[in-house]
Amino acid sequence: MKQTHTLWALLVTVLALPIAAAGQSDDEAIEKIVVTGQKSMSELRRDLWKYEDEFYSLYNQLNDDNNYDVRCSREAPTGSHIKTQVCRPNFLLKAIRRGDITRTKDLATSPVIAEEMATFREKRDALIVANPDLYAAAVAFSTARTRIAARSEKASNN
């Protein structure tokens, strides 16, 4: 019997909410509660790739030197089946095709590549500062990268 009264009270309360809300003005609107689920790592990774693609697509449109345009591809590192997105400027892709760069270690030790990378970063950063749309794309890309890093750190701490 006690449960029946509780159920009736709950039902009356639920049914009365729309009636109470109808009598309120716009200033007294009922607050909404929004529950957002957590994205999986694969969804976060897809978001990151999407924002990175959008950033570099806009960057390539604004950049006036094709040598510093950026191409992205998805590659699985040696010993892994999990693909990551790798974005490289054209001058670096050309150096790899020529055989000038054969290992990741070559990137850090090649003075020519180091100089080209410095020029690339200067051009990229100047375009970000000069173009609000590119700046917004950079912020979205950076935010997506931060979300993945935070999730990875949280997973490693558990």
Side-chain angles (χ1 to χ4, degrees):
M1 189 74 161
K2 189 175 186 181
Q3 289 178 340
T4 307
H5 290 290
T6 305
L7 288 174
W8 275 110
L10 182 61
L11 181 63
V12 169
T13 304
V14 169
L15 292 175
L17 282 176
I19 295 168
Q24 293 179 340
S25 67
D26 289 338
D27 296 334
E28 301 173 297
I30 295 177
E31 293 183 35
K32 285 195 246 177
I33 298 174
V34 178
V35 178
T36 305
Q38 213 175 35
K39 290 186 175 185
S40 68
M41 274 303 272
S42 61
E43 289 173 315
L44 290 175
R45 202 174 297 115
R46 279 192 297 272
D47 286 349
L48 175 67
W49 293 348
K50 180 185 94 169
Y51 291 123
E52 189 172 29
D53 285 342
E54 289 172 0
F55 171 77
Y56 283 120
S57 175
L58 184 54
Y59 165 79
N60 288 343
Q61 289 173 15
L62 297 169
N63 178 36
D64 59 358
D65 187 343
N66 289 342
N67 205 33
Y68 295 101
D69 277 356
V70 175
R71 303 288 173 244
C72 298
S73 62
R74 292 182 177 91
E75 303 171 4
T78 305
S80 175
H81 295 291
I82 299 173
K83 291 186 176 185
T84 59
Q85 182 155 289
V86 180
C87 297
R88 298 179 181 105
N90 281 339
F91 70 84
L92 186 57
L93 293 172
K94 290 174 186 174
I96 291 169
R97 274 185 239 128
R98 284 191 311 262
D100 298 348
I101 307 284
T102 56
R103 303 177 309 238
T104 305
K105 187 170 107 176
D106 293 341
L107 287 171
T109 59
S110 169
V112 173
I113 296 300
E115 187 177 319
E116 289 281 351
M117 285 302 287
T119 303
F120 163 71
R121 287 185 189 106
E122 287 173 14
K123 286 179 165 288
R124 181 198 59 202
D125 294 349
L127 283 173
I128 290 171
V129 169
N131 188 294
D133 291 338
L134 188 59
Y135 177 81
V139 169
F141 173 39
S142 179
T143 302
R145 197 177 336 166
T146 301
R147 284 187 187 126
I148 285 186
R151 176 70 66 82
S152 297
E153 184 177 320
K154 183 180 176 185
S156 67
N157 290 334
N158 289 335

